[in-house]
């Protein structure tokens, strides 16, 4: 159901605890159930040999055009053996943002998730003004969710809802348990 009385929101999931992308995907699951048209655009992520569970699930919902799922990043930046020139990462992030802008401006997308865009900003791949411009292109009553640690104060300021995931315990910290299939990716 697409209620005519709904209010579009800019939602931020940030913080150092696990659950930011998971929360966004949960919102997507809920929205799809109501017949909303959804886009998930992943920044930074991409160029990874393993397919995430959300990518596989997305294929099922993509068939009728209800869900668009795209990874627009060039992968890890400066870690995990990344040897790409910084310009490649910047180029990918800028392209992702341009794409996100076109999707956000399309009124048919009820919900747009910009996953890990905060990371792209923190890494200096994107400038704050261009991100704010993109976020402000949202037609009412559509909503946007942005995720990633260390959300910029400027984004927090214009957001309607901000939740900080705070790490209390994480299996990696004490027991060095690596990211788990089905739970983490
Ligand atoms: P998720 O995608 O599981 O909801 P997230 O979006 O909150 O996690 P990211 O910063 O995007 O967290 O990190 C992605 C990966 O890092 C996931 O595999 C996640 O489990 C792991 N991770 C998240 N928080 C922590 C933490 N505090 N310590 C170690 N690893 C973490
Ligand atoms: Mg995440």
């Amino acid at each position: 159901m697409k209620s005519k009385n709904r209010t579009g929101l800019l939602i931020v999931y940030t913080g150092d605890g696990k659950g930011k992308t998971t929360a966004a995907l949960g919102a997507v699951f809920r929205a799809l159930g109501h017949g909303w048209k959804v886009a998930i655009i992943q920044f930074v992520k991409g160029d990874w040999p393993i397919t995430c569970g959300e990518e596989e699930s997305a294929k099922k919902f993509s068939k009728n055009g209800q869900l668009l799922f795209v990874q627009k990043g060039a992968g890890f930046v400066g870690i995990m053996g990344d040897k790409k020139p910084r310009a490649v990462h910047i180029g990918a992030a800028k392209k992702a943002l341009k794409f996100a802008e076109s999707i956000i401006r399309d009124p048919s997308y009820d919900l747009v998730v910009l996953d890990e865009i905060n990371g792209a900003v923190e890494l200096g791949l994107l400038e704050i003004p261009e991100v704010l411009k993109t976020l402000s292109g949202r037609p009412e009553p559509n909503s946007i969710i942005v995720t990633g640690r260390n959300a910029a104060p400027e984004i927090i300021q214009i957001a309607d809802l901000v939740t900080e995931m705070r790490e209390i315990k994480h299996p990696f910290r004490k027991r060095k348990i690596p990211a788990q299939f089905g739970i983490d990716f």
Side-chain angles (χ1 to χ4, degrees), residues 31-86:
L32 290 171
H34 289 304
W36 286 23
K37 190 171 166 184
V38 178
I40 301 172
I41 302 167
Q42 294 193 323
F43 289 72
V44 185
K45 290 176 186 171
D47 194 22
W48 213 34
I50 303 162
T51 314
C52 292
E54 57 262 39
E55 195 177 346
E56 287 300 328
S57 292
K59 283 180 193 160
K60 296 178 187 165
F61 279 101
S62 303
K63 284 186 187 136
N64 65 355
Q66 201 191 345
L67 175 65
L68 175 74
F69 179 95
V70 283
Q71 292 188 320
K72 293 271 179 190
F76 291 110
V77 183
I79 53 167
M80 307 293 276
D82 168 48
K83 295 209 170 58
K84 291 195 190 82
R86 197 171 155 76

Side-chain angles (χ1 to χ4, degrees), residues 84-98:
K84 291 195 190 82
R86 197 171 155 76
V88 170
H89 290 292
I90 293 175
K94 301 247 185 238
K95 253 188 163 165
L97 191 68
K98 211 163 177 215

